[in-house]
Amino acid sequence: MTTRESVSEHGLTVRAQHRYNPYHHLFDDAGFAGLLLDLGLRRAASIWRNHTAAAGAAPRDPYPRASMGFVLLDPTAGPWVPDARSVMAVITVGEDAHRFLPKAAAKAAGHRRLGRNYGEAVLTDPHLCGAGGFRYGHSAEIRGQIVGASSQSTDQDLFEAGRLASELVDALGRAQLAWEERTGAGDWFSADDVPDPAYREMVAFALEPAEGPGAGAR
């Protein structure tokens, strides 16, 4: 796990931690952590602005807290990957943020399982949530990037989760374009233009030379 921490211009502690970096052809771990931290600082500015705003000047009224927890799922993880291993990163803003992470995680996991905003199921199909599921809150998905956020009202959580997901996708797109311009044509998203070992493993049985007539026959 890689962790980066900073303090926003308004004194909010921002911590970005990632367990997986599925974009190591674009960033090393330090670079990916730096990107996540920058995105966290942007959310810190928004949270402070909307927490201190006058009534009517913030999305769905002023935010009740100057802290939030965000859970970002790995958009490259297959559906067979358990929820606990599907978490790519967490970002916390403010000293009180960590207690909201399980709620953010529940929203993100529910969205991943249901294929839609978890808040819709809470409101219309609670039989899909089950015992121990979180009772409130929307989740956001932007072009496959799922983010759960918690600590404000449901609509405010949705707003911040959506902004974080959108800004991450945009940043990855810019980095991808710059990488392609540097490396030129190729077949694989990798620095040395080779497939991930998982793809060779899928067809390893067919790549191995046969051991004589009828080898492997059933």
Side-chain angles (χ1 to χ4, degrees), residues 72-208:
L72 297 80
L73 300 190
D74 179 358
T76 73
W80 57 86
V81 175
D83 284 341
R85 290 179 50 210
S86 73
V87 177
M88 180 174 68
V90 299
I91 297 174
T92 55
V93 176
E95 297 299 334
D96 194 36
H98 282 83
R99 70 186 179 97
F100 294 101
L101 286 177
K103 296 179 180 180
K107 298 178 194 180
H111 191 134
R112 180 175 185 252
R113 177 172 57 85
L114 298 173
R116 60 187 171 100
N117 183 343
Y118 179 72
E120 295 177 7
V122 168
L123 294 173
T124 63
D125 299 309
H127 64 283
L128 298 175
C129 300
F134 189 46
R135 295 177 59 187
Y136 303 96
H138 300 300
S139 50
E141 180 177 1
I142 304 295
R143 297 170 66 184
Q145 175 63 64
I146 296 174
V147 175
S150 184
S151 90
Q152 319 297 353
S153 73
T154 55
D155 286 348
Q156 292 163 352
D157 287 342
L158 177 60
F159 175 81
E160 293 294 339
R163 292 306 305 156
L164 177 57
S166 179
E167 290 175 3
L168 175 57
V169 169
D170 287 346
L172 292 172
R174 291 191 298 271
Q176 182 67 37
L177 179 60
W179 178 82
E180 290 177 359
E181 290 177 343
R182 289 195 309 271
T183 60
D187 291 329
W188 301 96
F189 291 124
S190 64
D192 47 6
D193 197 30
V194 297
D196 187 274
Y199 301 127
R200 293 191 64 86
E201 182 180 355
M202 291 173 65
V203 292
F205 70 94
L207 298 176
E208 296 172 355

Side-chain angles (χ1 to χ4, degrees), residues 19-38:
R19 299 177 65 190
Y20 306 111
N21 172 14
Y23 310 106
H24 52 81
H25 66 296
L26 303 177
F27 312 95
D28 59 17
D29 280 344
F32 190 50
L35 169 61
L36 295 173
L37 181 62
D38 287 345

